[in-house]
């Protein structure tokens, strides 16, 4: 064996509703498409048509031997207008969840993954304190309708990425450039997560369940100074790390609000996560008030540095804030032609296998090639290839490698020879 993972280490895949379901949904991403903000102009209404193909996709997951599956339900479908609930959509998701469970796969349900209904966006969504109750009403509905079927939840996906991309960097709709708004979103997300955490626990406890697990998916990056000994680069790395992950993590998991966040909700200190959810992709080299990438490093097809060591370095930082079991809720890479994904998988899982941190789960991003936000259909992250014209699915080489890893709970010498040996990364 090249390396072995623990027998109770569970492996599966992750997806998000907007990125795979397709269909015309009145949310911020349909709006972004209408406004011409998607680089290849591909429409999220196509994506993988998973909404109509979940039977076949669940069968495929079963065939691949997946043990766990993280996926989202679309708030804008369930509540298309303020105060309105679409019962057909609820029944659709109930059926999908049952199928997943019948296939022997454990569901982890995401409640907010970068998509908000337009009626909520029009009110200023999470930038405003007075809007948070709309999301909590959705969470209440989720408890009532899905609470007895699902025991594991991600409340909010990557609060930091969403807040900064939409409201500070202005790269995602509604394209604002306001640090004040980004901070408000993070303050409100923290409260929303903590309330949702308590609500889901209370609801399931009343039903007599004791296996409830709730957290959020935390996007973590390594922030290293571009020049190791440059004091300005070092200082800025620390500030960015705090703004981007230190402060949001402490607020969400412990109810401790530090600059740049503020406890506007008078949240009580506590422990608001049953596991640490880590979404890890890459490292940033900090030049000053902005980031870049080190020269001469391996890159994926979006030019992100491939830096396996970072999965441990970032996780350790979060673990030091709250020592709980670790679930890698996303890790993967954009590899359009599936040339190096197997090596990426090998190296990241190898780091996990040789670490003494309590890793319990790994959800690979993504199950299928997915509609990649502003990159549209052009960036491919899937273990399964999707032909967007015909919607045909085919397992990629890296998908077969992943199946082998799950079956053997590690990488055998044969699998290494077959799938990994000889793969070179592109260096830039
Ligand atoms: C997001 C996914 C996205 C992936 C790759 C994560 O930040 O949660 O939705 O597709 O990264 O960019």
């Amino acid at each position: 064996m090249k390396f072995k993972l623990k027998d109770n280490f569970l492996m599966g895949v992750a997806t998000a509703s907007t990125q795979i379901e397709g269909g015309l949904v009145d949310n911020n991403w349909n709006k972004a498409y209408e406004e011409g903000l998607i680089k290849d102009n591909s429409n999220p209404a196509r994506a993988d048509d998973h909404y109509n193909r979940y039977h076949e996709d669940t069968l495929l997951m079963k065939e691949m031997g997946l043990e766990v599956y993280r996926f989202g339900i679309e708030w804008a479908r369930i509540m298309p207008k303020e105060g309105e609930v679409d019962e057909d959509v609820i029944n659709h998701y109930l059926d999908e969840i049952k199928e997943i469970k019948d296939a022997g796969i454990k569901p982890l349900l995401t409640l907010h993954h970068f998509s908000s209904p337009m009626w909520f966006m029009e009110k200023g969504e999470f930038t405003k304190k007075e809007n948070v109750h709309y999301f909590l009403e959705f969470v209440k509905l989720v408890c009532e309708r899905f609470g007895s079927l699902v025991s594991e939840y991600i409340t909010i996906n990557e609060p930091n990425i969403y807040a900064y991309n939409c409201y500070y960097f202005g790269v995602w709709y509604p394209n604002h450039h306001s640090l004040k708004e980004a901070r408000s979103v993070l303050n409100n997300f923290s409260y929303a997560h903590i309330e949702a955490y308590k609500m889901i626990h209370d609801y399931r406890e009343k039903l007599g369940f004791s296996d409830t697990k709730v957290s959020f998916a935390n996007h973590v990056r390594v922030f290293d100074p571009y020049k190791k000994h440059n004091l300005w680069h070092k200082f800025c790395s620390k500030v960015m790390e705090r703004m981007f992950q230190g402060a949001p993590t402490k607020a969400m998991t412990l109810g401790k609000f530090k600059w740049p966040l503020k406890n506007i909700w008078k949240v009580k200190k506590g422990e608001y996560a049953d596991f640490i959810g880590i979404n890890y992709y890459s490292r940033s080299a900090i030049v000053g008030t902005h980031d870049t990438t080190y020269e001469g490093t391996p890159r994926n097809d979006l030019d992100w540095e491939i830096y396996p060591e970072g999965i441990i370095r970032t996780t350790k930082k979060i673990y030091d804030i709250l020592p709980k079991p670790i679930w890698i809720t996303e890790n993967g890479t954009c590899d359009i032609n599936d040339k190096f994904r197997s090596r990426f998988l090998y190296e990241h899982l190898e780091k996990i296998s040789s670490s003494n941190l309590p890793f319990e789960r790994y959800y690979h991003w993504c199950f299928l090639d997915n509609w990649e936000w502003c990159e549209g259909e052009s960036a491919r992250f899937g273990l399964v290839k999707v032909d967007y014209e015909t919607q045909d699915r085919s397992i990629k080489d890296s998908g077969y490698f992943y199946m082998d890893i799950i079956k053997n709970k590690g990488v055998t010498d044969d699998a290494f020879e077959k799938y990994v040996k000889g793969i070179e990364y592109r260096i830039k």
Side-chain angles (χ1 to χ4, degrees):
M1 287 295 269
K2 289 287 176 205
F3 64 81
K4 187 99 185 109
L5 293 151
K6 290 190 204 98
D7 283 336
N8 57 359
F9 182 75
L10 299 180
M11 281 184 276
V13 290
T15 61
S17 50
T18 311
Q19 294 182 277
I20 65 166
E21 284 183 344
L24 191 57
V25 180
D26 197 11
N27 65 15
N28 48 332
W29 290 100
N30 176 53
K31 181 77 176 170
Y33 169 71
E34 284 174 357
E35 305 252 307
L37 298 171
I38 311 306
K39 287 181 196 154
D40 63 357
N41 207 29
S42 59
N43 191 337
R46 177 156 87 169
D48 298 330
D49 192 32
H50 172 81
Y51 199 77
N52 296 310
R53 292 167 197 260
Y54 67 99
H55 304 295
E56 101 179 66
D57 287 341
T58 310
L59 281 177
L60 187 57
M61 281 190 235
K62 188 177 176 186
E63 184 190 321
M64 291 174 74
L66 305 180
E67 299 165 312
V68 288
Y69 177 38
R70 174 182 167 219
F71 64 104
I73 46 177
E74 184 71 40
W75 180 13
R77 273 190 200 273
I78 295 178
M79 294 179 139
K81 296 215 170 72
E82 183 180 342
E84 222 180 88
V85 175
D86 188 328
E87 290 299 329
D88 290 344
V89 175
I90 299 261
N91 288 331
H92 167 97
Y93 285 129
L94 281 172
D95 194 52
E96 181 172 0
I97 293 167
K98 283 185 195 133
E99 282 199 14
I100 291 164
K101 291 178 70 166
D102 287 348
I105 300 168
K106 199 163 180 51
L108 169 62
L109 200 62
T110 308
L111 307 185
H112 189 276
H113 194 132
F114 296 167
S115 62
S116 293
M118 269 321 283
W119 59 261
F120 182 63
M121 294 299 293
E122 275 152 16
K123 293 176 194 291
E125 62 149 353
F126 289 102
T127 61
K128 300 218 171 89
K129 200 176 173 192
E130 62 270 28
N131 290 343
V132 177
H133 74 97
Y134 291 109
F135 177 68
L136 295 176
E137 278 152 30
F138 171 61
V139 179
K140 184 164 174 273
L141 180 75
V142 169
C143 287
E144 289 162 358
R145 299 308 185 80
F146 306 107
S148 60
L149 274 178
V150 179
S151 56
E152 301 177 346
Y153 297 83
I154 291 290
T155 54
I156 296 162
N157 180 70
E158 302 189 350
N160 50 0
I161 292 279
Y162 187 76
Y164 288 117
N165 276 359
C166 295
Y167 294 100
Y168 179 60
F169 298 118
V171 289
W172 286 358
Y173 180 81
N175 311 94
H176 293 187
H177 291 94
S178 156
L179 187 55
K180 194 168 165 242
E181 278 186 333
R183 288 163 68 184
S184 301
V185 171
L186 286 170
N187 288 330
N188 289 326
F189 265 156
S190 304
Y191 174 72
H193 162 73
I194 290 169
E195 286 302 297
Y197 176 91
K198 293 194 284 198
M199 204 190 288
I200 297 168
H201 270 285
D202 288 351
Y203 185 84
R204 285 188 43 91
E205 209 168 287
K206 280 198 196 107
L207 294 181
F209 295 110
S210 58
D211 57 348
T212 312
K213 297 211 163 69
V214 185
S215 191
F216 71 105
N218 198 353
H219 182 106
V220 291
R221 305 178 72 77
V222 174
F223 289 97
D224 277 342
Y226 180 66
K227 289 200 178 125
K228 231 169 137 185
H229 302 294
N230 180 308
L231 288 180
W232 175 236
H233 294 184
K234 276 164 85 170
F235 172 74
C236 290
S237 310
K238 292 260 176 286
V239 173
M240 282 213 196
E241 188 176 302
R242 177 169 182 157
M243 287 178 73
F244 191 74
Q245 55 210 31
T249 303
K250 284 182 190 143
M252 307 268 295
T253 58
L254 300 173
K256 281 190 190 161
F257 290 73
K258 299 258 165 78
W259 181 90
L261 302 190
K262 207 171 160 193
N263 196 354
I264 54 169
W265 285 95
K266 306 269 175 288
V267 169
K268 281 206 195 105
K269 291 197 182 93
E271 277 191 8
Y272 303 111
D274 304 307
F275 58 91
I276 296 174
I278 296 283
N279 289 6
Y280 173 74
Y281 288 89
S282 186
R283 153 163 87 162
S284 293
I286 307 302
V287 202
T289 49
H290 69 281
D291 66 328
T292 181
T293 317
Y294 292 106
E295 289 95 25
T297 49
R299 303 297 177 88
N300 76 6
D301 288 344
L302 288 172
D303 251 352
W304 302 353
E305 181 184 347
I306 299 174
Y307 181 62
E309 182 61 34
I311 201 166
I312 306 299
R313 287 182 60 195
T314 48
T315 302
K316 175 79 176 73
K317 287 216 158 119
I318 307 298
Y319 186 77
D320 287 344
I321 295 173
L322 183 68
K324 294 270 178 185
I326 299 148
W327 297 8
I328 299 297
T329 38
E330 281 182 35
N331 173 240
T333 195
C334 176
D335 174 10
I336 297 169
N337 297 311
D338 202 44
K339 285 195 177 141
F340 54 84
R341 183 173 288 101
S342 295
R343 176 166 169 194
F344 180 98
L345 258 171
Y346 175 80
E347 290 178 346
H348 285 76
L349 285 170
E350 196 275 324
K351 292 283 175 221
I352 290 174
S353 79
S354 58
S355 156
N356 48 22
L357 289 167
F359 286 100
E360 281 188 354
R361 305 222 184 149
Y362 179 87
Y363 296 81
H364 189 78
W365 184 273
C366 187
F367 168 47
L368 303 159
D369 287 332
N370 55 280
W371 188 80
E372 181 58 26
W373 310 121
C374 284
E375 306 292 329
E377 291 171 357
S378 64
R380 291 179 181 264
F381 279 80
L383 292 169
V384 172
K385 182 180 166 152
V386 175
D387 177 328
Y388 289 109
E389 294 296 329
T390 62
Q391 291 295 345
D392 279 347
R393 275 88 162 122
S394 50
I395 301 176
K396 301 180 187 178
D397 258 9
S398 56
Y400 284 109
F401 178 45
Y402 194 52
M403 288 161 67
D404 197 288
I405 303 177
I406 299 176
K407 198 172 94 212
N408 295 300
K409 277 282 135 85
V411 175
T412 62
D413 293 335
D414 284 353
F416 182 84
E417 286 290 317
K418 185 164 174 196
Y419 297 106
V420 184
K421 203 174 160 191
I423 293 182
E424 302 280 349
Y425 290 131
R426 178 174 62 90
I427 307 288
K428 193 172 162 195

